[in-house]
Amino acid sequence: MGKRDELIEKYAEDLRSKCGMEPDMALLTKVTIGCGPAIYNDDASTVASSQPGELETVKDNFLVKKLGLADGPELMEAINAVVETYGRSERNKYRAVVYYMLTKHFGKESVYG
């Protein structure tokens, strides 16, 4: 099993144990691949949810640019809801898991079709 497959398994386990959801493995794999080389970098592979600038980056680069959503207050509300689901106190919020949950939240699975 390659490094990426190991990471996808780790993300799936986070979705099950920390977020209480059974992941769609095909979608999780596509979202993970979409994150590119960032998943292999300790800093870039996680979302620093306590930093407003980081959440703005998720909103601008992922929700607006990647998923094609119109900017509005509901985007930050969704990010905060995902962070709550993941657990505010959870130190490592993996970017692929956050992006996966946002993709599901907005029903934008077709972007990864």
Side-chain angles (χ1 to χ4, degrees):
M1 182 154 63
K3 179 78 172 146
R4 186 174 69 201
D5 293 331
E6 290 170 19
L7 288 169
I8 291 168
E9 274 307 312
K10 182 163 49 169
Y11 302 154
E13 185 51 39
D14 262 23
L15 283 162
R16 289 183 195 105
S17 63
K18 297 173 184 168
C19 306
M21 57 180 70
E22 186 57 37
D24 170 342
M25 292 306 290
L27 179 62
L28 180 58
T29 299
K30 289 176 185 171
V31 170
T32 302
I33 292 168
C35 289
I39 62 171
Y40 304 109
N41 177 303
D42 284 345
D43 188 45
S45 68
T46 57
V47 173
S49 61
S50 60
Q51 298 176 0
E54 173 79 356
L55 299 181
E56 280 294 321
T57 300
V58 169
K59 183 184 76 157
D60 295 339
N61 292 352
F62 184 69
L63 294 178
V64 175
K65 289 181 182 162
K66 178 74 181 171
L67 297 187
L69 299 167
D71 195 354
E74 66 281 354
L75 300 188
M76 201 51 82
E77 289 166 15
I79 292 169
N80 284 316
V82 161
V83 169
E84 283 299 323
T85 300
Y86 212 140
R88 284 227 178 257
S89 62
E90 182 57 44
R91 194 160 175 272
N92 289 325
K93 293 178 191 68
Y94 293 108
R95 186 169 304 280
V97 174
V98 170
Y99 286 8
Y100 171 88
M101 288 196 288
L102 287 167
T103 301
K104 294 291 261 184
H105 176 87
F106 287 107
K108 297 296 264 181
E109 293 90 341
S110 62
V111 169
Y112 291 99

